[in-house]
Amino acid sequence: MTTKPQDPAQPPVFGLDHSAYRCRDAEETRAFYEDVVGFPLAQALHIDRHPTTGEPVDYLHIFFDIGSGDPDRPSYIAFFDVVDHPGDNPDELFRTRWGMDLHFAMRVADHAALDAWKARLEARNVTVEGPVDHGMCRSIYFHDPNGYRLEFASSEAEENRVFADHAEKSRDLLENWDSWKASRTSAAAE
């Protein structure tokens, strides 16, 4: 299923294909996503050149099937274990910040499924925050072994109506935000 594009000339988009992140250790990441969360390892690729620049770089690219519900269009969360360039420590980057500005959210069927995920994760010694009631959905939050923040979100009929009501007001809210932000920036510059 896809949402009809606003521009009829725009090709359709069918949701998430994959979201990719750096990891500290491919096996540690596999153990979490496959053994704890239950997302099967779908692909592992050992690559020795950057795919767009051709620059030498040795890494393992791993993909986990997160269950799109459409066998013709699977969705994945993917990771890069880069041997010679481990990069910044995600634990320091993400856990010391708010944690809301970089996360990966996955939809689950309903609130009962959300509760089941919380129980599953906690039974495997994963610290879980929530459920948090956002008014238009409920969520639980947790971290993978790389420090990345993950979210499972669910919504039911009334929350879907709240989301739709907010959607109708979104453009006005954005315009008001831009005006407020511009006035605040202007005042700070004086």
Side-chain angles (χ1 to χ4, degrees):
M1 186 173 138
T2 183
T3 302
K4 182 181 174 189
Q6 290 182 358
D7 176 356
Q10 175 185 330
V13 173
F14 296 94
L16 177 73
D17 180 81
H18 73 277
S19 184
Y21 305 93
R22 185 76 66 92
C23 70
R24 291 186 295 241
D25 179 81
E27 174 52 25
E28 175 187 54
T29 301
R30 188 226 45 88
F32 179 81
Y33 282 93
E34 194 165 48
D35 299 345
V36 174
V37 180
F39 295 160
L41 178 66
Q43 183 76 257
L45 305 166
H46 184 185
I47 301 171
D48 62 4
R49 298 245 171 235
H50 191 285
T52 56
T53 67
E55 172 187 3
V57 60
D58 197 18
Y59 65 93
L60 188 68
H61 197 12
I62 54 178
F63 294 78
F64 300 90
D65 187 336
I66 65 169
S68 69
D70 183 348
D72 295 328
R73 293 190 179 89
S75 294
Y76 306 99
I77 185 167
F79 295 89
F80 302 93
D81 187 349
V82 184
V83 175
D84 297 326
H85 304 280
D88 295 320
N89 181 346
D91 190 51
E92 292 172 15
L93 291 174
F94 306 133
R95 288 185 191 246
T96 58
R97 298 183 64 195
W98 298 320
M100 65 184 184
D101 51 350
L102 180 59
H103 67 276
F104 183 82
M106 295 160 277
R107 169 84 44 205
V108 299
D110 53 30
H111 297 334
L114 192 67
D115 293 339
W117 270 110
K118 180 176 177 150
R120 175 189 172 93
L121 292 166
E122 289 177 339
R124 288 164 174 80
N125 299 315
V126 176
T127 301
V128 178
E129 299 171 42
V132 175
D133 186 347
H134 300 288
M136 59 190 80
C137 73
R138 291 185 190 162
S139 301
I140 60 171
Y141 298 92
F142 56 102
H143 290 89
D144 83 352
N146 301 293
Y148 292 116
R149 187 171 174 90
L150 303 170
E151 173 185 1
F152 284 127
S154 66
S155 62
E156 295 184 356
E158 180 57 33
E159 293 158 323
N160 291 335
R161 283 190 288 278
V162 169
F163 189 88
D165 290 345
H166 281 274
E168 291 177 13
K169 302 169 189 163
S170 293
R171 291 201 185 274
D172 290 339
L173 182 63
L174 181 59
E175 288 174 16
N176 291 338
W177 173 263
D178 284 343
S179 297
W180 173 82
K181 189 172 150 186
S183 68
R184 184 176 172 147
T185 304
S186 161
E190 293 176 2

